[in-house]
Amino acid sequence: MDVCTSSSTPQTETFPSAPAPRAPSLWRKRLLEDRVQLPRFWPVIQNLVIQDLRVRYQRSVLGFFWTLLNPLLMMAILSWVFSLLFRGIENYPIYLFAGMVPWGFLSGSVNECALCIIANEALIRKIFVPKLVFPLARILINLVTLLLSMGSLFLLLWPLGARPSLPMILLPAAILLFVAFTLGLSLIVATANTFYRDCGHLVTVFFQAWYFATPIIYRAEDFPAATQWRFRLNPAYYFIELFHDLVYFGKWPQFSSWLLAIVIALASLGIGYAIFKSQEDKMVFRL
Amino acid sequence: MPYSSRKKTRWYSDSESHGPGSRNRASSGVPLIELRDVSLRFINYADKQYSFKRAVLDLVLRRESPVPVSEFWALRNINLRINHGERVGIVGGNGAGKSTLLRLLARIYPPSSGTVEVRGNVAPLIEMGAGFNAELSGFDNILYNGAMLGFTRPQMLSKVEGIHEFTGLREFADLPLKYYSSGMYMRLAFAIATEIDPEILIIDEALGVGDAAFQERAKDRIFKLLGRSHAVILVSHDMNSLRQLCTRGLWLRQGQLVADGPIETIIDQYLAWTHAAKAS
């Protein structure tokens, strides 16, 4: 049935045979195609982002304030509860802020991306759009929220001792790496959830557990030195530490932290991209 | 049977190239669309959501062929070349694979095997509301739909006048699309799809909507497109409009291309066959 008539060039027999001659060219073609297609469909991404932001805030009186209120309330509650438990952390609200806002971006993006292909079924089944557009749009929407809430929460925390410091100029780099990391995870989850719809539920639970496993509401140093290595198994730990260093401690992160963050971000992005692209064509049949 | 591997499937479109090269090709003998031995298979999973639990169970219990699967070949071994300036009408009963073929050409479905080559940009009018957003105004939708079809904002802004001209919906430009009637909707979609001057225009039964005056103008506009040696592919059950508009006919039956030739012959054959089928 699977008849192939695509003009296959007669290959010269070599021994030993050349290792996997086709695979690289396939991936190069996919990358090239994305490089052409994504700029072409940039207006579509733009539109998805703008429209989502507009719809989210157009009929609520407080508008953007709601995005701030949620982390603010969380921080208020946690500050109160944990100031009783961990007396060691000074400026605890700022510590919380430095970890929680980036985490909100990560979990928000991944959870939304899980549904992004299914939610845009109507579009995908009617017109050709590179499917990468949908996760990218979700990430950008969350990125806008991240930047806005970071900026405004920082100002709100001013009375509690939030002060800008010179190392904060590296914050864009940290955010960029974190976005790459998030995008990779989002692509994996988006692919998995399109094929297995129950993944979305698992992801929510998994992120709850991951949240507590990452030093966001507590400090890794508060644990005995013998168990410190466990945190190093957590890929999110390195990014959160970067944010802690830059925002809370106001110190320059170590070079090794940057290197690890870069490696993890690129690995996540690479794996996510590979998984997403290899399944992209089949997605339309599973909607 | 596993999914046919990517190696067999070449999916190629150079619709990106809006440069002068794409126009020059009109004179050369390269066909706009070339399908070589294309098949498309749909797999029906017993329940569409092949769950994770089941996948794990299948893996653990080493069950072959996970869920009772029924295959359905929507298209089988289609060979087709469409050249510049051809107006192709596709006929066939319900479920013959007409719309599937159009979607394949519009890159919505990938072929399960074989190669599809589409040279030039495609404007698909396959379903109502494809690439529109009901919340946005008519004007914004022109830009949005243009983006879907691969045109930048400035490029589309220069076409807005022409689109309003054709649709006569200028006074509704600020109205959200959800308040448009289906006729207005259709007019807008058709106007955009033709105003961008696509090399390949794909229309699925769209001409049925809209009043008589509009249908006449739509036909006019299709002929004008053809003057610039673009291809039009039309699916319809309205034999009269097919006879008027098309030069070449394709007859699909159960996913197979049973006849290909001048439109009159194909329609006559098809009608004769339907009458025979009805009689027996």
Side-chain angles (χ1 to χ4, degrees):
Chain A
M1 264 180 231
D2 291 345
V3 195
C4 169
T5 51
S6 63
S7 54
S8 55
T9 48
Q11 285 184 337
T12 44
E13 293 278 332
T14 48
F15 186 81
S17 56
R22 300 206 57 141
S25 77
L26 173 67
W27 283 104
R28 197 191 305 148
K29 213 173 70 192
R30 280 178 177 163
L31 278 168
L32 274 177
E33 200 192 274
D34 275 340
R35 221 186 63 193
V36 176
Q37 295 281 8
L38 289 180
R40 209 188 127 197
F41 280 86
W42 176 245
V44 178
I45 301 181
Q46 236 175 353
N47 204 295
L48 287 171
V49 173
I50 292 171
Q51 190 196 313
D52 192 271
L53 292 174
R54 197 189 288 163
V55 168
R56 195 188 298 177
Y57 299 124
Q58 69 182 355
R59 291 210 181 139
S60 65
V61 184
L62 292 177
F64 173 69
F65 181 68
W66 287 114
T67 345
L68 293 184
L69 198 68
N70 189 32
L72 263 184
L73 285 176
M74 276 299 274
M75 275 161 52
I77 296 165
L78 284 170
S79 306
W80 179 67
V81 171
F82 283 88
S83 61
L84 304 172
L85 292 174
F86 304 104
R87 293 195 179 276
I89 308 178
E90 55 185 290
N91 282 343
Y92 185 63
I94 297 161
Y95 181 82
L96 263 184
F97 157 74
M100 210 155 74
V101 175
W103 184 267
F105 167 74
L106 176 69
S107 74
S109 302
V110 174
N111 277 311
E112 283 174 24
C113 279
L115 293 170
C116 70
I117 301 287
I118 301 164
N120 287 294
E121 169 177 0
L123 204 54
I124 292 171
R125 291 172 61 89
K126 283 177 182 174
I127 198 165
F128 168 74
V129 180
K131 290 165 197 69
L132 217 46
V133 159
F134 303 111
L136 279 176
R138 295 310 322 175
I139 295 275
L140 284 178
I141 291 164
N142 277 290
L143 183 63
V144 171
T145 316
L146 170 74
L147 295 177
L148 289 176
S149 53
M150 261 203 146
S152 40
L153 279 175
F154 192 79
L155 291 180
L156 283 175
L157 287 176
W158 195 276
L160 292 171
R163 293 287 178 274
S165 59
L166 193 58
M168 277 191 196
I169 55 170
L170 285 177
L171 212 49
I175 291 176
L176 188 71
L177 288 175
F178 196 54
V179 167
F181 175 68
T182 309
L183 181 58
L185 284 187
S186 301
L187 290 177
I188 297 171
V189 172
T191 314
N193 196 48
T194 309
F195 290 88
Y196 309 108
R197 297 291 157 90
D198 23 18
C199 269
H201 306 285
L202 283 178
V203 166
T204 317
V205 179
F206 177 75
F207 265 81
Q208 196 64 44
W210 197 5
Y211 174 66
F212 288 114
T214 312
I216 294 168
I217 52 174
Y218 55 85
R219 277 195 314 193
E221 293 81 52
D222 292 338
F223 282 77
T227 56
Q228 285 287 315
W229 60 273
R230 289 185 196 162
F231 289 112
R232 310 221 150 254
L233 298 179
N234 178 355
Y237 169 74
Y238 301 99
F239 296 99
I240 297 296
E241 282 303 280
L242 279 184
F243 285 109
H244 278 160
D245 280 353
L246 293 172
V247 177
Y248 176 66
F249 295 108
K251 68 179 186 193
W252 303 95
Q254 286 176 327
F255 183 66
S256 60
S257 320
W258 284 109
L259 210 63
L260 270 167
I262 291 171
V263 169
I264 294 169
L266 286 181
S268 158
L269 190 58
I271 294 170
Y273 181 79
I275 290 177
F276 190 85
K277 287 304 276 190
S278 64
Q279 303 298 321
E280 189 182 19
D281 282 347
K282 292 177 201 160
M283 283 177 189
V284 68
F285 299 119
R286 291 301 198 97
L287 288 175
Chain B
M1 196 164 54
Y3 269 98
S4 60
S5 68
R6 283 285 305 212
K7 287 172 195 168
K8 293 174 198 154
T9 307
R10 198 142 59 95
W11 186 278
Y12 174 71
S13 159
D14 58 4
S15 52
E16 302 73 54
S17 63
H18 293 302
S22 56
R23 293 279 182 241
N24 290 345
R25 239 185 264 121
S27 48
S28 67
V30 187
L32 269 178
I33 294 171
E34 196 167 5
L35 269 66
R36 268 184 252 110
D37 220 28
V38 167
S39 299
L40 183 67
R41 176 187 48 184
F42 288 114
I43 300 175
N44 281 323
Y45 294 89
D47 52 339
K48 216 171 181 182
Q49 294 158 19
Y50 177 54
S51 71
F52 185 65
K53 183 190 87 186
R54 192 170 255 144
V56 171
L57 275 178
D58 290 333
L59 202 69
V60 172
L61 302 175
R62 293 177 177 278
R63 279 192 295 208
E64 284 291 315
S65 170
V67 199
V69 161
S70 66
E71 283 183 6
F72 170 66
W73 288 86
L75 293 173
R76 272 181 225 251
N77 304 76
I78 307 272
N79 283 294
L80 184 64
R81 287 161 75 101
I82 295 174
N83 291 309
H84 290 269
E86 278 193 300
R87 285 166 284 162
V88 182
I90 304 178
V91 296
N94 289 331
K98 303 185 298 293
S99 295
T100 311
L101 181 60
L102 294 192
R103 282 171 188 213
L104 195 85
L105 295 177
R107 295 196 65 184
I108 296 168
Y109 291 143
S112 300
S113 69
T115 62
V116 176
E117 286 186 36
V118 178
R119 302 183 180 85
N121 59 342
V122 180
L125 284 173
I126 292 181
E127 239 177 284
M128 286 285 285
F132 285 95
N133 187 325
E135 296 292 329
L136 297 177
S137 71
F139 176 79
D140 286 338
N141 263 297
I142 292 175
L143 302 180
Y144 184 59
N145 195 240
M148 292 272 175
L149 298 170
F151 288 83
T152 60
R153 201 182 158 87
Q155 279 173 320
M156 280 320 283
L157 281 173
S158 65
K159 296 183 200 300
V160 166
E161 244 344 270
I163 291 167
H164 283 324
E165 187 92 18
F166 181 71
T167 56
L169 295 174
R170 199 188 309 267
E171 63 264 44
F172 301 107
D174 294 325
L175 197 70
L177 213 61
K178 56 184 169 187
Y179 302 125
Y180 277 40
S181 73
S182 58
M184 287 155 75
Y185 215 128
M186 212 288 301
R187 269 193 275 175
L188 188 65
F190 183 84
I192 296 171
T194 45
E195 186 71 24
I196 61 165
D197 206 15
E199 267 104 9
I200 301 156
L201 178 64
I202 294 178
I203 303 176
D204 191 355
E205 314 256 17
L207 287 181
V209 205
D211 50 31
F214 177 73
Q215 285 195 27
E216 278 313 305
R217 292 206 296 168
K219 280 174 189 167
D220 253 20
R221 211 161 149 105
I222 290 178
F223 282 124
K224 266 187 206 145
L225 263 186
L226 289 158
R228 299 191 288 270
S229 89
H230 300 310
V232 175
I233 302 163
L234 200 66
V235 162
S236 181
H237 289 291
D238 177 8
M239 296 302 153
N240 287 329
S241 63
L242 282 183
R243 270 185 228 267
Q244 272 182 25
L245 280 169
C246 300
T247 50
R248 178 180 169 191
L250 300 174
W251 176 9
L252 282 175
R253 197 168 69 210
Q254 292 176 349
Q256 276 163 318
L257 196 58
V258 286
D260 179 357
I263 188 73
E264 292 293 335
T265 334
I266 298 295
I267 289 180
D268 291 342
Q269 276 179 17
Y270 173 64
L271 290 178
W273 180 80
T274 36
H275 283 306
K278 216 180 278 171
S280 65

